[in-house]
Amino acid sequence: VGTEAAKEGEKAEESAAKVEDSTYAVSEDALSFTAKNLNLEDVDDSIFKDKDLTILNVWGTFCGPCINEMPELGAWAKEMPENVQIIGLVADISGEMDTKQIETAKTILEKTDADFQNIIPNEDFVPLLSTVVGVPTTYFINSEGKIVGKPIVGAQVSKYKSFVEGYLATLS
């Protein structure tokens, strides 16, 4: 009986490991881009290199749940460990000449005290944005620019936080 229980225990551990592996599975392709942030400064995929994990929050200025989670994201950004960062990608800005939407996004971020970098999407983001089924959608990107795990759709900051905690635990 003891051996069977031990075998069952091993099976349970193996399946837990498989779940964990798939939870933090890494994409094959890295995100590659050169774009502008909301201040029209150049930004590229090198922003991932200095952090173990980047939370990439794809949101829209028209999206109530996106805006409602901004204060919590802003507060979290201030208390994140050194090796983690959050970056926004404003899905409904159509290029750096879309000054009206850029100003709208800046106003939302200011009012919600969400003081983290936000990127204006361009053609480099088409492959990523084509996978977005709704906003907010939050991706997790490793230091190589590769997506880790599955994106979280919907405003679920507590889920983002537990993903980050779990992922960081796999690094130590």
Side-chain angles (χ1 to χ4, degrees):
V1 180
T3 359
E4 276 187 37
K7 282 182 184 169
E8 286 302 313
E10 283 173 23
K11 280 183 188 169
E13 280 177 31
E14 281 174 28
S15 66
K18 280 182 187 154
V19 167
E20 200 166 284
D21 288 349
S22 66
T23 302
Y24 305 111
V26 177
S27 67
E28 293 193 15
D29 299 325
L31 287 179
S32 176
F33 68 90
T34 303
K36 300 272 187 195
N37 64 20
L38 293 181
N39 296 322
L40 301 182
E41 300 160 334
D42 292 329
V43 59
D44 63 35
D45 48 71
S46 68
I47 59 173
F48 302 127
K49 284 184 179 51
D50 295 334
K51 304 294 179 182
D52 288 328
L53 196 64
T54 297
I55 295 103
L56 182 66
N57 182 259
V58 181
W59 66 284
T61 60
F62 60 88
C63 165
C66 299
I67 295 165
N68 291 338
E69 78 173 353
M70 281 298 162
E72 198 173 350
L73 292 177
W76 186 31
K78 290 176 180 74
E79 63 191 35
M80 281 180 176
E82 283 293 307
N83 61 337
V84 181
Q85 68 182 336
I86 184 165
I87 293 176
L89 181 65
V90 193
D92 62 328
I93 296 178
S94 55
E96 57 192 85
M97 297 307 191
D98 190 358
T99 53
K100 185 173 182 277
Q101 282 306 99
I102 291 170
E103 285 310 312
T104 300
K106 283 178 158 181
T107 301
I108 290 167
L109 293 165
E110 198 174 299
K111 284 183 178 172
T112 58
D113 199 23
D115 187 26
F116 50 86
Q117 179 158 226
N118 276 265
I119 298 172
I120 300 168
N122 59 22
E123 62 281 349
D124 293 348
F125 289 97
V126 169
L128 179 76
L129 290 173
S130 69
T131 67
V132 172
V133 293
V135 287
T137 294
T138 301
Y139 294 88
F140 303 93
I141 317 287
N142 70 14
S143 59
E144 297 171 350
K146 295 181 177 184
I147 296 172
V148 178
K150 292 184 172 62
I152 296 174
V153 181
Q156 303 185 59
V157 179
S158 61
K159 279 190 178 179
Y160 313 157
K161 287 180 176 181
S162 48
F163 182 93
V164 169
E165 284 172 26
Y167 179 74
L168 292 178
T170 69
L171 300 180
S172 51

